[in-house]
Amino acid sequence: MTLLDSNAATTKPLEDPRLKEPFLLTPGPLTTSYAVKQAMLRDWGSWDQDFRDMTLKMRVELLAMIGPGREDFDCVPMQGSGTFSVEAMLGSFVPRDGKALVLANGAYGQRSAQTFAYLGRDHVVLDKGDYLPPRGEEVAKILNDDPAISHVVAIHCETSSGILNPIDEISQATYGAGRKLLIDSMSAFGVIPLEADQIRYEAVVSSANKCIEGVPGFGFIIARKSELLAAKGNSHSLSLDVHAQWDHMNKTGQWRFTPPTHVVAAFLEALHAHQREGGVEGRGARYARNRDVVVSGMRELGFETLLAKRWLSPIIVTFFCPDDPNFEFGKFYDLMKDKGFIIYPGKLTIAESFRIGCIGQMDEHIMRRVVKAAQQTLAEMGVENANPPADALLERAKLDA
Ligand SMILES: Cc1ncc(COP(=O)(O)O)c(C=O)c1O
């Protein structure tokens, strides 16, 4: 049995992109279905009742994804990329005299800290470096030592390494100390459960072009209604004021400023595909299978992942670059693209790395083709061994310790 048929196929293959563009093995924008693209072919009046109905439907269906307990929450879509919605959440829910503890283990934690710096709001950062997870007991200690901290900001899946942070223990530590939790679940929402009666939080943010498999153009904030009410007057920004957007949407059914109408139409199509697939559980299972197939296939080629299984998300996986002197990431990227796969550079500072996304219109059959393309590419580059350098493995041992 060869490497590529060692995992028996269990599902009907997804179709390749009809315009023959490469698959995007990236964490959003990602490969979308033809039906999602097709939903953008007609125009909608932003003021018209049909579009208002679409907006309401989308808000209700997104809210349903947090399960029992959702009655206490509401969903507020916000124009722009994911960062706009994170900034909207931070600026609207952390009061001007509040103080945030940002849990950082990668680029997106750092970006939240940077956002507070722009906003001029008091904050401290627990910086765990490139990928080490912030743990509940560390959070509890910081909160105990600093009574001025009102909010904790956590990244659910830190997409820069692919680590799934321990959001459960972070939530317990936060509320155990009587503080409030805000979650950036940009790349995890829709595949990792965040049920309101299981994990306590005040607000969570994600965007259209991640695990729901829509196209880029807006994000959404799901927040406790009591926080939405209390957020009046907090925001530093007119356009990113979550309270104002919520209030206006509830009163008029409309977005405050021009909405990305086509993106919303595509997103509704994507949401219905998510539901047909079995919601968070069904989609999560496909992505986990994608990850398992690509990780085991790449390991057979000699590649190593940054993270051990306990921390590997079904969203994106970081692989160390091989130590072989013939390996050069730029060339590997180009040759993979020639074979129809766009991969993603790594973001680690401690070792050379690259990432392969598991999300989007991708399945295990496609993941096997990715591994085969990597195998051929290594051969073309004259790389005999994809093992990483010894220091990369020493670095990895820190997390296992
Ligand atoms: C965890 C996380 N937060 C924030 C962002 C920023 O989103 P955007 O690039 O859409 O602004 C991303 C993007 O991948 C992300 O993964």
Side-chain angles (χ1 to χ4, degrees):
M1 187 183 279
T2 68
L3 154 74
L4 296 161
D5 55 25
S6 59
N7 278 303
T10 54
T11 51
K12 191 168 160 275
L14 289 175
E15 69 169 352
D16 282 19
R18 289 195 198 171
L19 299 186
K20 310 274 178 241
E21 72 272 31
F23 282 99
L24 300 181
L25 295 152
T26 58
L30 34 66
T31 296
T32 55
S33 70
Y34 193 73
V36 163
K37 295 179 186 84
Q38 204 168 30
M40 292 185 285
L41 286 178
R42 65 156 286 187
D43 305 315
W44 302 90
S46 63
W47 190 90
D48 186 72
Q49 189 60 41
D50 290 346
F51 186 70
R52 293 189 220 188
D53 292 345
M54 285 159 66
T55 297
L56 182 61
K57 194 168 166 43
M58 172 177 90
R59 292 174 66 198
V60 169
E61 292 183 9
L62 278 171
L63 202 54
M65 286 167 62
I66 65 165
R70 65 180 171 278
E71 314 71 48
D72 296 334
F73 288 76
D74 207 348
C75 172
V76 187
M78 183 65 75
Q79 297 93 329
S81 86
T83 303
F84 292 58
S85 284
V86 174
E87 183 167 333
M89 171 175 78
L90 302 182
S92 298
F93 298 128
V94 179
R96 290 174 195 227
D97 59 356
K99 180 172 181 181
L101 165 62
V102 179
L103 309 179
N105 57 338
Y108 296 108
Q110 294 296 352
R111 191 174 296 176
S112 276
Q114 190 187 16
T115 306
F116 282 121
Y118 262 78
L119 303 189
R121 300 224 178 151
D122 202 4
H123 64 285
V124 283
V125 183
L126 170 63
D127 186 355
K128 299 296 305 268
D130 271 359
Y131 66 94
L132 289 173
R135 303 305 305 254
E137 58 273 25
E138 298 174 282
V139 175
K141 180 167 183 333
I142 297 170
L143 295 180
N144 186 46
D145 292 348
D146 188 347
I149 295 171
S150 53
H151 290 75
V152 175
V153 177
I155 312 298
H156 197 181
C157 169
E158 180 39 91
T159 324
S160 50
S161 66
I163 193 167
L164 201 51
N165 281 324
I167 208 76
D168 251 332
E169 58 182 56
I170 291 169
S171 170
Q172 280 167 27
T174 304
Y175 288 95
R179 318 301 167 82
K180 292 177 172 177
L181 180 62
L182 306 176
I183 305 176
D184 171 353
S185 186
M186 198 69 66
S187 59
F189 189 83
V191 290
I192 310 290
L194 262 185
E195 301 208 333
D197 67 344
Q198 302 293 316
I199 298 180
R200 199 163 161 199
Y201 53 88
E202 304 306 311
V204 58
V205 68
S206 182
S207 74
N209 57 293
K210 301 287 188 195
C211 298
I212 315 290
E213 299 185 1
V215 301
F218 70 91
F220 50 91
I221 299 114
I222 294 181
R224 207 175 279 280
K225 286 180 196 159
S226 53
E227 291 299 300
L228 283 162
L229 278 170
K232 187 170 182 180
N234 277 352
S235 182
H236 58 294
S237 158
L238 169 73
S239 54
L240 298 179
D241 185 336
V242 180
H243 173 272
Q245 180 93 324
W246 176 62
D247 194 44
H248 185 82
M249 237 172 222
N250 283 352
K251 285 183 181 142
T252 67
Q254 293 173 44
W255 303 51
R256 279 178 311 155
F257 311 116
T258 300
T261 44
H262 300 74
V263 178
V264 171
F267 189 73
L268 274 171
E269 181 62 40
L271 261 178
H272 297 148
H274 184 270
Q275 289 155 9
R276 286 194 300 273
E277 195 171 349
V280 173
E281 203 184 332
R283 174 108 355 138
R286 171 161 61 88
Y287 288 177
R289 182 89 184 121
N290 288 351
R291 173 201 58 202
D292 293 345
V293 167
V294 79
V295 166
S296 69
M298 294 293 275
R299 281 188 180 143
E300 281 188 48
L301 298 180
F303 286 100
E304 292 281 350
T305 58
L306 164 73
L307 301 168
K309 177 122 187 154
R310 175 183 186 313
W311 301 104
L312 271 184
S313 67
I315 291 146
I316 190 163
V317 179
T318 295
F319 293 94
F320 290 123
C321 288
D323 197 23
D324 191 301
N326 286 337
F327 186 88
E328 195 249 306
F329 177 73
K331 195 159 176 211
F332 186 68
Y333 178 95
D334 289 343
L335 291 168
M336 287 293 285
K337 184 175 169 190
D338 289 348
K339 296 175 184 63
F341 302 106
I342 287 192
I343 60 170
Y344 215 44
K347 272 201 186 215
L348 299 183
T349 55
I350 40 116
E352 293 290 313
S353 62
F354 64 92
R355 291 173 287 172
I356 294 188
C358 310
I359 67 180
Q361 277 293 287
M362 222 73 73
D363 62 13
E364 60 183 284
H365 308 282
I366 295 159
M367 287 320 215
R368 274 191 208 98
R369 286 160 54 192
V370 174
V371 175
K372 185 164 192 171
Q375 186 178 35
Q376 280 168 2
T377 300
L378 291 180
E380 284 159 21
M381 292 172 76
V383 175
E384 282 177 8
N385 184 336
N387 288 164
D391 7 332
L393 294 177
L394 277 179
E395 173 67 34
R396 185 172 73 173
K398 282 190 193 162
L399 184 52
D400 298 336

